[in-house]
């Protein structure tokens, strides 16, 4: 129970003191809405080559969706695309586990504060909240990479 309490504190801290909040310049922007509960996020991603130089967002919703966006910012900014995708896949695995995956040391090393969402995976309706910003990041990244590929084609 002590671990659950610590995880709740991590989520509340990110909710009250969000990292990356406030839209800044980006290479791509997406807007996602969770129709189940009304959470929404507008997320921008900026790349410097294949390195994520910034993830910024504005949104509204529950503490889980907003804290998850803050954690995403902490985890992905400064990472190269392959690292970021590995982190996103690990988080997705945790969220889809229905509470059956207990974060081990290796998972904690990859996810850092995101392991705090392990308990959320037991509640399917809340999983969508936790994944909202991560799915937005994935879509924004796809758009940014398409734009970069198109720009290379026009300059070639």
């Amino acid at each position: 129970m002590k671990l659950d309490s610590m995880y709740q504190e991590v989520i509340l801290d990110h909710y009250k003191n969000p990292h990356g909040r406030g839209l800044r310049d980006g290479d791509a922007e997406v807007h996602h809405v969770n129709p189940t509960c009304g959470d929404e996020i507008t997320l921008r991603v900026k790349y410097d080559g294949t390195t994520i130089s910034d993830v910024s967002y504005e949104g509204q919703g529950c503490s889980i969706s907003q804290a998850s966006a803050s954690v995403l910012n902490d985890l992905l900014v400064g990472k190269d695309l392959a690292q970021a995708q590995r982190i996103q896949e690990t988080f997705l695995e945790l969220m889809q586990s229905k509470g059956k995956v207990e974060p081990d040391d290796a998972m904690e090393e990859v996810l850092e504060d995101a392991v705090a969402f392990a308990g959320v995976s037991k509640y399917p309706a809340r999983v969508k909240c936790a994944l909202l910003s991560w799915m937005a990041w994935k879509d924004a990244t796809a758009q940014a990479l398409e734009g970069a590929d198109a720009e290379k084609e026009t300059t070639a």
Side-chain angles (χ1 to χ4, degrees):
M1 197 64 183
K2 192 174 185 180
L3 192 58
D4 286 341
S5 176
M6 183 184 77
Y7 284 169
Q8 288 173 354
E9 286 179 31
V10 168
I11 291 171
L12 284 175
D13 184 52
H14 275 278
Y15 176 66
K16 292 176 181 175
N17 305 294
H19 305 168
R21 189 171 186 86
L23 291 173
R24 295 176 292 280
D25 286 341
D27 297 320
E29 176 181 301
V30 297
H31 182 78
H32 279 210
V33 176
N34 179 352
T36 311
C37 64
D39 290 350
E40 58 183 273
I41 189 167
T42 300
L43 183 139
R44 290 182 185 160
V45 65
K46 184 159 185 65
Y47 280 87
D48 181 9
T50 60
T51 301
I52 301 167
S53 59
D54 193 27
V55 176
S56 62
Y57 66 93
E58 277 296 334
Q60 61 185 32
C62 68
S63 59
I64 291 171
S65 72
Q66 298 302 296
S68 186
S70 175
V71 168
L72 177 144
N73 172 276
D74 281 357
L75 285 175
L76 301 188
V77 172
K79 302 287 192 305
D80 69 38
L81 182 58
Q83 290 174 300
Q85 288 172 326
R86 187 172 132 243
I87 293 166
Q88 189 265 339
E89 288 164 5
T90 304
F91 187 70
L92 184 61
E93 175 189 336
L94 178 65
M95 288 297 91
Q96 293 178 335
S97 74
K98 298 180 179 164
K100 293 183 173 99
V101 171
E102 281 292 322
D104 58 12
D105 290 344
M107 185 176 273
E108 286 185 31
E109 188 174 314
V110 172
L111 293 180
E112 300 174 16
D113 278 357
V115 297
F117 295 88
V120 172
S121 71
K122 298 173 191 170
Y123 307 98
R126 306 307 300 200
V127 167
K128 289 181 180 182
C129 302
L131 288 176
L132 184 65
S133 59
W134 294 83
M135 296 300 107
W137 171 78
K138 190 175 178 182
D139 288 351
T141 293
Q143 282 184 21
L145 296 177
E146 281 177 18
D149 288 344
E151 191 174 306
K152 284 180 189 174
E153 288 176 15
T154 59
T155 59

